[in-house]
Amino acid sequence: MNIFLYNTMYRELREFKPLKDEEAGMYACGPTVYNYAHVGNLRTYIFEDILRRTLAYAGYRVTHVMNVTDVGHLTDDQDDGEDKMLKSSRETGMSVWDIAEYYTKAFFKDTTRLNILDPHVVCRATEHIDDMIELVKRLEKRGHTYEAGGNIYFSIDTFDQYGRMANLNLEDLQSGARIEVDQNKRNPKDFVLWFTKSKFENQVMLWDSPWGKGYPGWHLECSAMSMKYLGEQFDIHCGGTDHISVHHTNEIAQSEAATGKKWVRYWCHGEFLLDDTGKMSKSKGEFLTLDLLIKHGFDPLDYRYFCLGAHYRSQLRFSFQALEQAKTSRNNLAARIAELKKDQVEAADTLDAPAQAYVDRFEAHAAKDLNMPRSLSELWGLVRDSSIAPAQRLAGCYRMDLILGLSLKDIAPAGEELLDEESASLIAEREEARKDKDFAKADTIRDILQKRGIDIKDTPSGTVWRKRV
RNA sequence: GGCGCCGUACCCAAGUGGUAAGGGAGAGGUCUGCAAAACCUUUAUGCACCGGUUCGAAUCCGGUCGGCGCCUCCA
């Protein structure tokens, strides 16, 4: 299985060839834990999960590293704006450390519910300050830094290829210098590596450094931690599309300037999920969280399925109507899987040619830049191909689910779902009514059961029911 | 201003040179006490519009109109 990924660095699909045979190292930009994740954030982690699962499916030993940004950062490099962690702390009365802990837990609770596999390494910025300081020292030694106004800056003019991935034109950037306000910067796109002057009162996250007590610039952690866990050169770095022009651009500059080596081989970026107003934001009060979707009656996997319906590099507009359609579709899929499992049918150990043909196409679509809409379409094709034996179809579906992550194995066989007593007695009562030809009563009970999430089917061989997923 | 993207059926959404995947919704049929499910049939001679290239274009090129994202902490 040869995987092709769209590489932002070259703006084209390129075959994935890892640094080391059989191994794939990937670093994913993780959350800043000052608030709950919104579903737009989560879309990106679903994309990364698909990437990871596809690599593993293809036989690579994957090392998936993700950072957790638990250091408060300025809202921009101009030293204005607010520190998000501090802001959250002030608003909730919790300490910044507790805030970080609380939202980190909330984040992983969400990802777990979405069947997103835990990264092999989760690294917290606050636990890697020494590594960041070491990196700044290396940059200092190589002449890429300068001190001004108490802060240590990275000088982008000392790095040849600055802005290459983002197609930034340095002269255009320079011309914008006149309107910049930070007099400390030699070039307006220079960025801070280490702050020693905090304008914030109550700044509690401070560390000693050769340049004084302070805290790291926000690009630093990803460079320092990714290299620590994956080496100075590694295969894949991914994140949201918004990171291309600033965050990743600066990471590349400081990483490659420090080592003198090419850093990352494949850059993969997930597109945004939009809401009605366009961009999703956390600053508008209530925003779309996974919990909110659950409150509206959706299963987290409905959202995962919804995301699978669009390609990760396409913007996707969120709407409850579209999510509702995804939910229905997933439910129908589960019903078919349940039907295949009926009568103790087990997945076959090996695939015959007809089922394998579907799996082959599925793999081809996944391998071509993670085309989940197409892959999903092959799943549907297999599921409803009645010329193929249930055991074969099941086996094929399970294979596909290794990448899709829809928990198809967990679906109970038709008629074997757990049922609460009340529903069970309602079903029995309805049976009686039908025997007595009291169809009005039977239909009323059927409606009640419907509302409880139980579908009723009267077949020639008796009544069967199914719990919607 | 710089970078980039999109406009495909009623809805969501793939497809980037060879004649429109899939899902949701709808319609007809078989079945049923009625339903549901399942199965069969069905819903874009056309992919914003106008030109061009080509044997052939939703796909390439040019233009027009419309919509969007990033560039500032954000996935």
Side-chain angles (χ1 to χ4, degrees):
Chain A
M1 190 168 159
N2 299 318
I3 296 174
F4 287 78
L5 297 172
Y6 183 86
N7 190 334
T8 307
M9 183 61 83
Y10 308 105
R11 309 279 166 139
E12 65 182 19
L13 242 51
R14 291 211 169 175
E15 182 169 1
F16 177 70
K17 288 182 180 149
L19 225 40
K20 285 180 239 162
D21 286 345
E22 317 289 312
E23 288 185 32
M26 61 181 274
Y27 183 87
C29 275
T32 302
V33 285
Y34 69 103
N35 203 336
Y36 293 106
H38 63 225
V39 292
N41 299 130
L42 295 171
R43 181 187 183 200
T44 297
Y45 300 107
I46 290 172
F47 140 61
E48 287 158 354
D49 185 57
I50 296 296
L51 171 58
R52 168 182 167 171
R53 286 169 179 266
T54 301
L55 291 168
Y57 185 104
Y60 294 107
R61 283 194 302 281
V62 182
T63 305
H64 176 197
V65 178
M66 179 187 278
N67 65 299
V68 168
T69 302
D70 55 356
V71 180
H73 285 302
L74 300 180
T75 53
D76 63 29
D77 285 341
Q78 306 305 326
D79 204 33
D80 50 49
E82 224 176 344
D83 179 310
K84 284 182 294 189
M85 299 288 291
L86 276 180
K87 181 166 183 265
S88 189
S89 171
R90 176 167 53 69
E91 287 170 357
T92 61
M94 292 161 77
S95 78
V96 286
W97 304 96
D98 289 342
I99 296 274
E101 184 60 25
Y102 177 83
Y103 288 113
T104 299
K105 274 195 180 136
F107 175 78
F108 285 110
K109 184 180 175 192
D110 282 352
T111 55
T112 299
R113 289 187 293 190
L114 287 165
N115 276 354
I116 292 169
L117 300 171
D118 280 336
H120 302 94
V121 176
V122 173
C123 40
R124 290 168 166 78
T126 52
E127 291 168 6
H128 295 78
I129 301 298
D130 289 346
D131 300 294
M132 296 188 225
I133 289 172
E134 284 310 307
L135 188 63
V136 178
K137 280 188 185 162
R138 286 176 80 176
L139 288 168
E140 198 169 43
K141 208 171 288 173
R142 284 172 159 261
H144 293 288
T145 68
Y146 60 93
E147 185 276 333
N151 297 330
I152 306 299
Y153 291 87
F154 180 90
S155 170
I156 66 163
D157 294 299
T158 65
F159 182 70
D160 270 353
Q161 304 242 7
Y162 185 82
R164 181 184 165 189
M165 180 166 73
N167 281 339
L168 300 182
N169 181 323
L170 277 188
E171 293 185 7
D172 287 348
L173 297 177
Q174 297 262 6
S175 68
R178 292 176 200 103
I179 55 166
E180 294 288 340
V181 289
D182 188 342
Q183 298 304 317
N184 292 326
K185 291 185 181 181
R186 295 178 186 170
N187 185 309
K189 283 289 169 185
D190 287 347
F191 53 92
V192 178
L193 295 166
W194 191 266
F195 290 93
T196 62
K197 292 230 170 110
S198 174
K199 66 167 191 152
F200 301 114
E201 297 166 29
N202 310 319
Q203 173 64 278
V204 293
M205 286 186 167
L206 293 171
W207 294 268
D208 286 322
S209 85
W211 313 281
K213 214 174 173 70
Y215 54 98
W218 82 281
H219 309 297
L220 204 54
E221 64 179 74
C222 289
S223 292
M225 297 193 292
S226 64
M227 287 197 266
K228 174 167 185 169
Y229 295 106
L230 294 169
E232 291 187 354
Q233 296 181 288
F234 58 92
D235 299 306
I236 302 173
H237 191 131
C238 39
T241 180
D242 56 319
H243 284 327
I244 296 169
S245 57
V246 177
H247 187 47
H248 288 165
T249 289
N250 289 345
E251 281 183 45
I252 291 168
Q254 68 194 3
S255 299
E256 300 194 350
T259 65
K261 286 187 264 191
K262 183 175 168 176
W263 183 41
V264 168
R265 296 152 55 80
Y266 298 85
W267 286 92
C268 301
H269 294 95
E271 252 300 347
F272 271 3
L273 179 79
L274 309 175
D275 63 22
D276 302 338
T277 65
K279 195 197 168 152
M280 233 171 239
S281 164
K282 292 183 187 176
S283 57
K284 303 175 193 161
E286 190 178 47
F287 55 90
L288 289 166
T289 60
L290 190 61
D291 276 324
L292 187 68
L293 300 192
I294 292 169
K295 214 177 285 175
H296 276 76
F298 294 98
D299 185 286
L301 293 184
D302 293 331
Y303 179 65
R304 183 178 176 104
Y305 187 94
F306 168 75
C307 289
L308 260 29
H311 192 268
Y312 78 89
R313 282 194 293 113
S314 296
Q315 289 179 348
L316 178 60
R317 195 168 286 273
F318 178 87
S319 73
F320 278 101
Q321 190 206 359
L323 183 62
E324 193 65 55
Q325 292 180 356
K327 180 186 174 69
T328 304
S329 177
R330 191 179 76 86
N331 182 250
N332 291 160
L333 177 66
R336 285 167 181 276
I337 298 286
E339 206 56 37
L340 292 176
K341 290 185 185 181
K342 205 171 59 177
D343 303 328
Q344 327 284 308
V345 170
E346 298 284 341
D349 292 330
T350 55
L351 289 176
D352 296 338
Q356 185 63 49
Y358 282 99
V359 174
D360 286 346
R361 285 192 296 270
F362 172 93
E363 289 175 7
H365 290 306
K368 195 177 172 192
D369 201 28
L370 316 176
N371 192 330
M372 288 303 107
R374 280 282 177 175
S375 293
L376 212 47
S377 146
E378 294 302 331
L379 173 71
W380 275 98
L382 175 60
V383 161
R384 58 192 341 167
D385 189 336
S386 55
S387 73
I388 298 175
Q392 283 287 316
R393 283 193 262 171
L394 269 184
C397 289
Y398 289 168
R399 288 281 293 280
M400 296 177 183
D401 202 36
L402 257 23
I403 289 177
L404 298 172
L406 294 170
S407 293
L408 300 183
K409 275 190 179 172
D410 298 342
I411 295 166
E416 290 177 31
E417 299 101 325
L418 292 172
L419 198 61
D420 59 285
E421 262 179 50
E422 199 176 339
S423 298
S425 68
L426 279 168
I427 289 170
E429 201 179 325
R430 179 167 176 278
E431 280 302 273
E432 284 303 309
R434 288 188 73 226
K435 263 183 210 154
D436 299 340
K437 305 274 184 204
D438 185 353
F439 296 119
K441 184 176 179 189
D443 291 352
T444 303
I445 295 174
R446 184 168 62 202
D447 287 345
I448 294 168
L449 286 165
Q450 283 264 308
K451 285 189 184 114
R452 297 173 68 103
I454 294 164
D455 293 329
I456 293 293
K457 296 185 234 180
D458 298 322
T459 71
S461 52
T463 295
V464 296
W465 51 271
R466 178 171 172 278
K467 225 161 144 180
R468 285 196 295 276
V469 294

